[in-house]
Amino acid sequence: EVQLVESGGGLVQPGGSLRLSCAASGFTFSNFWMTWVRQAPGQGLECVANIKPDGSEEFYVDSVKGRFTISRDNAKNSLYLQLNSLRAEDTAVYYCARGWVTDWGQGTLVTVSS
Amino acid sequence: DVVMTQSPLSLPVTLGQPASISCRSSQSLVHSDGNTYLNWYQQRPGQSPRRLIYKVSNRDSGVPDRFSGSGSGTDFTLRISRVEAEDVTIYYCMQGTHWPYTFGQGTKLEIK
């Protein structure tokens, strides 16, 4: 069974940083693209970053370019999202997702507020 | 970015009756590999989205056969043949052909 478990969310001040993690199990992690998707409270869904299976290429939505960094450790079956220079509009539940957004974790809430 | 437009945004439904949601994209979703990466998701309150349909018309494992997807190019539809109480929630389409992958605004099914 595919399992994706996110962690690392919390309350952070504007301009602050957080590192989100996603622990993957139940599939061969190193074979799959991985994506971070976020959902602001009561709002829709937005793909913010994704990464090739070997980690050699990363892609970002314009609103997070230069502030967020996606990475992975295939030896640890883990996906990461480094969030820097956080803004109020980054407040959302952040989900990690496998492949072409097939399977989702339960999400971790990031709240940016002073 | 590819804009995905769902309609309606709110759909009053009668249990046991069919329902249909439209999703239109601002450009063709046919990938250079020949596939069309259009997915449909269901999201219940407080839960993560669940994929129902992938590549336009393929049902995921465990998805009831009352759900079906169709369409091509820029015009896609999710149909529920007979709405059950557990289906009354929010549905999203998503294109995975062009980065950034983008979602529709969501369609909320409500009991009429």
Side-chain angles (χ1 to χ4, degrees):
Chain A
E1 179 195 0
V2 172
Q3 282 206 314
L4 299 165
V5 180
E6 301 92 338
S7 60
L11 175 62
V12 61
Q13 292 189 340
S17 297
L18 276 178
R19 189 192 195 209
L20 307 183
S21 300
C22 172
S25 60
F27 64 101
T28 305
F29 181 73
S30 58
N31 288 351
F32 286 85
W33 286 76
M34 295 296 294
T35 302
W36 285 99
V37 183
R38 68 182 178 184
Q39 185 170 34
Q43 301 300 310
L45 297 157
E46 180 183 40
C47 290
V48 297
N50 82 352
I51 188 167
K52 285 184 78 169
D54 63 1
S56 61
E57 280 191 271
E58 308 151 28
F59 300 88
Y60 300 94
V61 70
D62 283 350
S63 58
V64 309
K65 273 181 190 171
R67 300 189 300 121
F68 291 7
T69 303
I70 188 172
S71 62
R72 64 193 297 160
D73 185 336
N74 286 345
K76 294 183 177 179
N77 290 339
S78 292
L79 178 72
Y80 306 101
L81 188 66
Q82 178 69 40
L83 290 69
N84 296 333
S85 303
L86 282 161
R87 307 166 180 167
E89 56 264 34
D90 297 317
T91 294
V93 174
Y94 285 73
Y95 298 99
C96 71
R98 181 177 75 134
W100 260 286
V101 197
T102 306
D103 303 283
W104 303 59
Q106 86 289 348
T108 187
L109 176 62
V110 172
T111 303
V112 184
S113 175
S114 54
Chain B
D1 297 356
V2 177
V3 177
M4 305 296 288
T5 303
Q6 286 183 233
S7 62
L9 299 185
S10 178
L11 180 58
V13 296
T14 301
L15 297 182
Q17 294 300 304
S20 179
I21 301 170
S22 170
C23 177
R24 290 194 166 95
S25 58
S26 60
Q27 57 186 274
S28 174
L29 300 186
V30 180
H31 194 274
S32 56
D33 66 8
N35 290 306
T36 299
Y37 294 101
L38 186 285
N39 298 342
W40 288 96
Y41 298 86
Q42 177 191 66
Q43 187 176 30
R44 296 194 171 110
Q47 295 187 15
S48 308
R50 168 199 181 196
R51 196 179 70 174
L52 301 176
I53 302 285
Y54 64 96
K55 287 195 282 184
V56 181
S57 59
N58 297 276
R59 259 192 315 274
D60 273 281
S61 174
V63 174
D65 62 7
R66 62 180 180 275
F67 289 92
S68 65
S70 64
S72 63
T74 62
D75 205 343
F76 305 92
T77 302
L78 176 71
R79 290 187 176 88
I80 310 173
S81 59
R82 293 172 308 279
V83 174
E84 297 191 5
E86 64 181 18
D87 303 336
V88 179
T89 189
I90 299 175
Y91 295 85
Y92 295 94
C93 60
M94 186 207 85
Q95 66 82 19
T97 297
H98 307 281
W99 181 261
Y101 304 155
T102 46
F103 292 86
Q105 315 96 303
T107 294
K108 186 173 184 180
L109 264 59
E110 299 170 316
I111 298 290
K112 196 179 288 186

